[in-house]
Amino acid sequence: MTTAAAEDSRTAADTKASGAVKADVGRRRFSLLDARLAPYVFLLPFMAVFVVFRVWPLVTAVEMSFQDVKGLQGNDWVGLENYQAIFENPRFMVALSNTFVYTIMTLIILIPIPLALAALLDRGRTYKPLAWRVSMFIPALASLVVASFIFRVILSENGLMNEALSALGLPTQPWLTSASLAIPSLLIIATWRWVGVNMLYFNSGLVNISRELYEAAAIDGAKATQMFRHITVPLMRPTIIFVLIISVIGGFQLFVEPFLLWSSGNSPQGGGLSMGLLIYRTAFTSAKFGDAAAMGVVLAVIIFVVSLIVFRLAGGTKALR
């Protein structure tokens, strides 16, 4: 009996231990499952908002670009007629040309100037660098609506800009009444608003460059311009690519500035007409939602292609390593 009882006790203990092991394995599996599911649970709200407010409108816009939108009366499928109509529209080509010119000019202005300013700040060549950073970033915090109205006054016939030109002995300019000066007027606003922001982007990239590289170059007799060309620019390439791409996207999405600088965007002879402004007018003034959707799709494709070209020319993924 003693032996049988011992065996029964041992069997019971083994069964209990086995059950404990199984329970522990089950808890570990459940814990591992929780660890795997946790990121998706946290991402779910963002993904839901992204799908509802980004993906679904994008899919709907592409679908509308192939339709004749009639509102409550339903939509008729028209194929490529909307695309044919917009490419035959002379205002579309004017807006596209203006947007390309504006974007190219912003790249010429808003890349080298902020990079040079950031380099000066990083090397301590400015008085009170923190105050400089703050003062340069303040325009980005200002309301673009308020800023546009202020610049409408500054660029008026008797505004501050022409007063400054007169003080320098230069002829005044019809900034807001000349088609040829529409893009330069918009570039003045862009320069005022975005130079400080891009400068801070570049400054954040310069912080990651080791000081020892500059010290070694200085010992070898390198000048400041040589260090900037052979050390700063190559090591800043990832940041430069980032600023280039966001500048391209921002340039092609130009809308608020021309809309407010001129009354409802009515610039002289369409000199300040942008793609964003034309899409808005086509949709909400002419009620041609199919044509506006087609313009939006074309603009999205252009932004993607130009951004990809800029990324490739700047070195692609190799430059980000």
Side-chain angles (χ1 to χ4, degrees):
M1 291 294 292
T2 306
T3 304
E7 290 180 356
D8 291 341
S9 177
R10 192 181 303 111
T11 302
D14 292 342
T15 303
K16 185 177 180 180
S18 178
V21 170
K22 290 181 179 179
D24 185 59
V25 171
R27 283 194 296 269
R28 289 183 181 179
R29 288 179 178 176
F30 186 74
S31 177
L32 182 60
L33 184 62
D34 284 348
R36 290 177 178 175
L37 288 177
Y40 299 100
V41 173
F42 285 110
L43 284 173
L44 187 59
F46 166 77
M47 293 303 298
V49 173
F50 180 77
V51 170
V52 172
F53 293 102
R54 292 287 185 178
V55 177
W56 182 73
L58 178 62
V59 173
T60 304
V62 174
E63 183 182 7
M64 287 174 58
S65 69
F66 297 101
Q67 297 175 337
D68 180 16
V69 182
K70 298 181 178 179
L72 297 177
Q73 299 177 2
N75 303 334
D76 295 332
W77 191 267
V78 295
L80 297 175
E81 289 184 10
N82 291 333
Y83 291 92
Q84 182 180 355
I86 64 173
F87 281 107
E88 291 176 352
N89 184 355
R91 294 180 64 81
F92 175 78
M93 301 310 298
V94 170
L96 188 60
S97 175
N98 289 343
T99 305
F100 261 105
V101 172
Y102 173 83
T103 303
I104 292 171
M105 293 304 297
T106 54
L107 295 181
I108 294 174
I109 295 172
L110 297 179
I111 300 299
I113 294 178
L115 181 57
L117 290 174
L120 290 175
L121 281 171
D122 185 66
R123 296 183 63 81
R125 298 295 181 87
T126 57
Y127 179 70
K128 293 188 178 298
L130 180 60
W132 266 99
R133 291 187 181 95
V134 173
S135 62
M136 293 293 288
F137 188 73
I138 285 177
L141 303 177
S143 169
L144 192 54
V145 175
V146 175
S148 298
F149 280 109
I150 292 174
F151 272 96
R152 184 188 292 187
V153 176
I154 292 174
L155 297 174
S156 62
E157 184 178 356
N158 298 319
L160 182 61
M161 184 66 72
N162 280 336
E163 291 291 336
L165 291 176
S166 297
L168 295 173
L170 300 174
T172 59
Q173 301 294 329
W175 296 102
L176 301 180
T177 57
S178 171
S180 60
L181 292 176
I183 299 298
S185 299
L186 295 171
L187 289 172
I188 290 174
I189 301 177
T191 303
W192 169 81
R193 185 173 178 81
W194 298 116
V195 161
V197 176
N198 289 353
M199 182 192 71
L200 290 182
Y201 284 138
F202 290 133
N203 191 249
S204 64
L206 287 170
V207 172
N208 297 322
I209 300 177
S210 174
R211 300 293 95 185
E212 295 176 357
L213 295 174
Y214 293 105
E215 293 173 1
I219 292 173
D220 291 338
K223 298 180 180 178
T225 54
Q226 292 174 322
M227 286 188 277
F228 179 79
R229 178 182 176 184
H230 297 288
I231 298 177
T232 303
V233 173
L235 295 178
M236 283 285 293
R237 187 173 290 181
T239 308
I240 293 173
I241 292 175
F242 170 76
V243 176
L244 274 170
I245 292 176
I246 64 172
S247 298
V248 167
I249 295 172
F252 277 105
Q253 291 181 338
L254 176 69
F255 171 73
V256 178
E257 293 90 334
F259 185 80
L260 296 176
L261 195 58
W262 296 277
S263 179
S264 298
N266 294 315
S267 57
Q269 302 175 17
L273 182 64
S274 66
M275 283 293 296
L277 187 56
L278 181 61
I279 292 171
Y280 169 82
R281 286 182 177 177
T282 303
F284 299 105
T285 302
S286 303
K288 296 180 179 179
F289 295 101
D291 289 6
M295 291 179 187
V297 171
V298 171
L299 180 60
V301 172
I302 290 173
I303 291 175
F304 175 77
V305 171
V306 173
S307 299
L308 184 61
I309 291 172
V310 170
F311 184 69
R312 293 288 187 182
L313 292 177
T317 55
K318 293 181 180 179
L320 301 179
R321 295 173 183 174

